[in-house]
Amino acid sequence: MFSRSAFSYAKRQTVRASRPMIAPQNASRIYPLSIRSISTETKAAIEKAVGSAPVVLFMKGTPETPQCGFSRASIQILSLQGVDPAKFSAFNVLEDQDLRQGIKEFSEWPTIPQLYVNKNFVGGCDILMSMHQNGELAKLFEDEKVLVHVEEPAAEETKS
């Protein structure tokens, strides 16, 4: 009985493989291409935004009022890492549908939030979390000199 079922399955697969695949005439209407081309204006606006600060986060909401848990987590990670607020800029993708879709196409990354450091795409919340946990994010921020500079107090000289 097992050999018969296995044989029947193998035969069906062989028959299916030998049939030519013919797409229906209206396939483009049924299966629209998910690839869109980003408009020149949107691409220019995104490039300007990415270059507006050394650390740029495209997020849902604002740093003060994030509108999703992933955006909130990303802001918390940046805060814990000690990113200098003067070197940070955030863009609310909920305010502009072209920005919301365009940033995904620009980075070829399907989710928001998205972090850029010195115009280089770093990743989304999952990547930030992983890099935060393994120390890579701290090293990146240190290497890129985007952390708050804390001056250490001068050591007091002891009198003898």
Side-chain angles (χ1 to χ4, degrees):
M1 184 155 160
F2 172 78
S3 60
R4 185 172 186 187
S5 298
F7 175 76
S8 297
Y9 175 77
K11 183 178 177 185
R12 280 194 307 266
Q13 297 301 4
T14 304
V15 170
R16 285 182 186 156
S18 66
R19 286 190 224 151
M21 295 291 289
I22 301 173
Q25 291 177 351
N26 59 356
S28 62
R29 286 185 285 160
I30 297 172
Y31 308 106
L33 294 174
S34 61
I35 300 171
R36 287 184 36 200
S37 62
I38 188 170
S39 74
T40 306
E41 297 82 18
T42 302
K43 184 176 181 180
I46 291 171
E47 287 173 344
K48 183 178 178 183
V50 166
S52 67
V55 179
V56 177
L57 182 67
F58 292 90
M59 61 182 291
K60 294 178 182 177
T62 64
E64 298 78 24
T65 56
Q67 297 297 308
C68 83
F70 298 113
S71 291
R72 179 180 315 281
S74 297
I75 289 294
Q76 288 174 340
I77 289 170
L78 295 177
S79 177
L80 287 171
Q81 290 289 331
V83 171
D84 187 345
K87 296 180 178 180
F88 171 75
S89 186
F91 293 88
N92 183 0
V93 300
L94 298 178
E95 292 178 347
D96 184 347
Q97 188 59 35
D98 288 338
L99 174 62
R100 184 176 186 175
Q101 188 59 37
I103 193 63
K104 295 175 186 179
E105 295 171 26
F106 182 82
S107 64
E108 297 179 0
W109 190 260
T111 61
I112 295 170
Q114 294 185 10
L115 181 71
Y116 288 79
V117 176
N118 288 329
K119 299 182 183 179
N120 295 310
F121 178 65
V122 176
C125 184
D126 54 342
I127 302 298
L128 291 180
M129 185 72 69
S130 175
M131 290 177 73
H132 171 68
Q133 291 171 343
N134 69 21
E136 290 177 14
L137 195 58
K139 182 172 178 5
L140 172 69
F141 288 152
E142 186 177 319
D143 291 348
E144 298 294 334
K145 298 177 180 19
V146 297
L147 299 174
V148 173
H149 181 67
V150 179
E151 292 183 26
E152 295 185 25
E156 294 183 43
E157 293 182 33
T158 57
K159 294 182 182 180
S160 27

